[in-house]
Amino acid sequence: MHIHDLIEDSAALANLCSRFATAPFVAVDTEFMRENSYWPELCLIQIADDNEAAAIDPLAPGIDLTPLLDLLTKNHDVLKVFHAGGQDIEIVANLTGTTPNPLFDTQVAAMALGQGEQIGYSNLVDSWLGIQVDKGARFTDWSRRPLDKRQIDYAIADVTHLAVIFPKMLAKLKKTGRGAWLDQEMERLADPAHYINDPDESWKRVRISGRKPEALGRLKALARWREIEAQGKDLPRGRIMKDETLADLALSPPKKQADLARVRGLSGAWAGNDIGGRLMAALDAAEPLPASEMPLRDDRKPGLGKEGALVADLLKLLLKIRSREIDVAAKLLARSDDLEALAAGKRDGLSILEGWRFEEFGRDALALVEGQLAFAVQNGKLKMSRTEDAA
């Protein structure tokens, strides 16, 4: 495989992308920094097919990334291959408003091949190629220039290995007939809506004690305010205000802005500055959280009840057995929400009752909740058996 020098000018990038435009696939990775910003700062892009590989410097003065972004988002004939690509895809979505398409994530694919739910890149390379990845440059400050040869080689290796692994993985998926198992997961990864940080949804990430609608309404208003401030200032949301302080203010709101000087986690300046004023305006406009948005307690999921919760536990045991039997990650086979819905009596719209999931797991899960399947121990191993009623 031909490894290019670091690409730092628009003409070289355009030529590279014109060659990749006819490739069946490209492996893609990025290096970025986000410790000091809300939006990730793209510092390096690595790309490879089975013939050549390169690292591209998006911080190079005057470089035009349009040919690369068009290759990733507009050329639908080239498959884009990532490993645990969520943050890489988010960066492309931030730059273009859309996502690489079509795409393939080797971490997701590994779930269908019995390699666990979140296999790391180093373990993937070791298991497929028997190569120990050099981890020496992983803590690099990728925004600093110049980058030395070791840093660039380390970064490019991420895609050169991936370009070798992907065809092997694809061949195994075809041989086992499990390629279609991944369609739904890949579609979810390719959905641009998956990468939108909606300020109105940001409160759901904050832990708070208590479930009073008034407090949760204030939490929603404050989290929305913080998200907008963080986006506008391009700062991590924790730099605007820590989660703990946000939750404290929602539970015990100040009556006037001057009271902010006494809030743990805030400086005295909040008592009179503009950001403190905007915080108070957000609190003043807060309304109790409507019943339709109230989070469900684990012990009060609709229709589940105590007996249903026990049935859900049996379904989770069945899932564990079945995922081990067919060597697939349990997370790919079924999610807890689906199991609880099935235990509560729901039948429509459940992914485990459709397609390959029904064939591999859903049929037996349905039989279990309907009393046609039971657990048994044979030779010290847990097995499933049909009940006399089913017979």
Side-chain angles (χ1 to χ4, degrees), residues 144-289:
R144 296 184 65 180
R145 294 296 182 270
L147 295 172
D148 62 35
K149 185 177 185 303
R150 186 189 179 194
Q151 291 170 320
I152 296 169
D153 289 347
Y154 166 86
I156 291 180
D158 284 352
V159 289
T160 55
H161 294 327
L162 209 55
V164 176
I165 291 170
F166 166 68
K168 296 177 181 290
M169 185 172 273
L170 191 61
K172 190 168 183 180
L173 286 168
K174 288 178 178 177
K175 184 177 180 180
T176 57
R178 294 185 175 188
W181 291 16
L182 303 171
D183 291 346
Q184 190 177 34
E185 298 298 316
M186 300 302 180
E187 286 173 9
R188 184 182 62 82
L189 284 173
D191 182 1
H194 187 63
Y195 303 95
I196 295 172
N197 288 326
D198 184 353
D200 285 325
E201 297 293 314
S202 60
W203 67 279
K204 296 177 180 177
R205 290 193 293 260
V206 182
R207 294 176 64 89
I208 186 171
S209 60
R211 296 174 46 82
K212 291 183 178 180
E214 294 78 12
L216 291 177
R218 289 191 292 267
L219 180 68
K220 180 177 180 179
L222 287 171
R224 182 181 189 278
W225 158 80
R226 182 179 67 169
E227 204 73 9
I228 292 170
E229 293 280 348
Q231 291 176 358
K233 291 179 170 60
D234 194 20
L235 287 172
R237 58 181 67 89
R239 292 274 188 91
I240 303 295
M241 182 178 288
K242 299 291 187 187
D243 282 1
E244 296 83 356
T245 306
L246 202 72
D248 286 346
L249 287 171
L251 290 168
S252 304
K255 291 184 172 60
K256 54 186 184 298
Q257 186 175 348
D259 296 337
L260 293 176
R262 295 191 293 274
V263 173
R264 185 182 59 179
L266 299 183
S267 70
W270 284 74
N273 61 16
D274 290 344
I275 193 171
R278 291 193 294 273
L279 182 154
M280 293 304 298
L283 272 178
D284 291 342
E287 297 181 355
L289 196 70

Side-chain angles (χ1 to χ4, degrees), residues 10-320:
S10 300
L13 177 58
N15 288 334
L16 179 75
C17 291
S18 68
R19 294 192 297 275
F20 282 145
T22 59
F25 74 90
V26 289
V28 185
D29 189 35
T30 66
E31 307 299 341
F32 55 90
M33 303 292 289
R34 71 185 314 165
E35 287 83 355
N36 298 310
S37 62
Y38 181 91
W39 308 105
E41 179 187 8
L42 179 60
C43 300
L44 201 67
I45 307 156
Q46 305 92 272
I47 188 167
D49 63 5
D50 53 359
N51 294 311
E52 58 183 321
I56 301 148
D57 185 2
L59 302 181
I63 193 166
D64 181 7
L65 296 179
T66 303
L68 176 65
L69 297 175
D70 285 350
L71 171 69
L72 295 179
T73 63
K74 295 182 179 180
N75 187 332
H76 295 167
D77 294 326
V78 180
L79 181 67
K80 291 82 185 182
V81 180
F82 298 85
H83 180 79
Q87 295 192 89
D88 308 310
I89 297 166
E90 179 191 4
I91 288 171
V92 176
N94 289 339
L95 290 172
T96 66
T98 188
T99 57
N101 203 322
L103 63 81
F104 183 95
D105 192 307
T106 52
Q107 187 180 70
V108 174
M111 293 198 293
L113 297 174
Q115 293 193 277
E117 294 184 358
Q118 288 186 315
I119 186 172
Y121 177 74
S122 298
N123 289 337
L124 185 86
V125 173
D126 187 19
S127 66
W128 286 87
L129 303 180
I131 295 174
Q132 303 297 312
V133 174
D134 173 18
K135 298 180 181 180
R138 60 182 168 169
F139 297 119
T140 289
D141 179 350
W142 294 102
S143 66
R144 296 184 65 180
R145 294 296 182 270
L147 295 172
D148 62 35
K149 185 177 185 303
R150 186 189 179 194
Q151 291 170 320
I152 296 169
D153 289 347
Y154 166 86
I156 291 180
D158 284 352
V159 289
T160 55
H161 294 327
L162 209 55
V164 176
I165 291 170
F166 166 68
K168 296 177 181 290
M169 185 172 273
L170 191 61
K172 190 168 183 180
L173 286 168
K174 288 178 178 177
K175 184 177 180 180
T176 57
R178 294 185 175 188
W181 291 16
L182 303 171
D183 291 346
Q184 190 177 34
E185 298 298 316
M186 300 302 180
E187 286 173 9
R188 184 182 62 82
L189 284 173
D191 182 1
H194 187 63
Y195 303 95
I196 295 172
N197 288 326
D198 184 353
D200 285 325
E201 297 293 314
S202 60
W203 67 279
K204 296 177 180 177
R205 290 193 293 260
V206 182
R207 294 176 64 89
I208 186 171
S209 60
R211 296 174 46 82
K212 291 183 178 180
E214 294 78 12
L216 291 177
R218 289 191 292 267
L219 180 68
K220 180 177 180 179
L222 287 171
R224 182 181 189 278
W225 158 80
R226 182 179 67 169
E227 204 73 9
I228 292 170
E229 293 280 348
Q231 291 176 358
K233 291 179 170 60
D234 194 20
L235 287 172
R237 58 181 67 89
R239 292 274 188 91
I240 303 295
M241 182 178 288
K242 299 291 187 187
D243 282 1
E244 296 83 356
T245 306
L246 202 72
D248 286 346
L249 287 171
L251 290 168
S252 304
K255 291 184 172 60
K256 54 186 184 298
Q257 186 175 348
D259 296 337
L260 293 176
R262 295 191 293 274
V263 173
R264 185 182 59 179
L266 299 183
S267 70
W270 284 74
N273 61 16
D274 290 344
I275 193 171
R278 291 193 294 273
L279 182 154
M280 293 304 298
L283 272 178
D284 291 342
E287 297 181 355
L289 196 70
S292 60
E293 295 185 42
M294 288 291 290
L296 296 170
R297 281 171 47 174
D298 289 341
D299 59 349
R300 291 188 184 176
K301 290 181 177 174
L304 201 54
K306 290 183 178 179
E307 294 300 321
L310 292 174
V311 174
D313 287 342
L314 289 178
L315 286 170
K316 291 171 186 175
L317 180 57
L318 173 63
L319 175 63
K320 191 173 184 178

Side-chain angles (χ1 to χ4, degrees), residues 310-362:
L310 292 174
V311 174
D313 287 342
L314 289 178
L315 286 170
K316 291 171 186 175
L317 180 57
L318 173 63
L319 175 63
K320 191 173 184 178
I321 294 170
R322 185 52 43 82
S323 63
R324 184 183 63 199
E325 287 175 347
I326 65 175
D327 198 20
V328 64
K331 182 180 175 182
L332 184 64
L333 201 52
R335 298 184 183 274
S336 293
D337 288 350
D338 274 355
L339 300 183
E340 288 162 359
L342 185 66
K346 186 176 179 182
R347 299 293 183 267
D348 296 331
L350 299 182
S351 62
I352 55 174
L353 299 184
E354 299 171 353
W356 70 270
R357 288 184 173 89
F358 178 72
E359 298 299 326
E360 299 294 335
F361 174 71

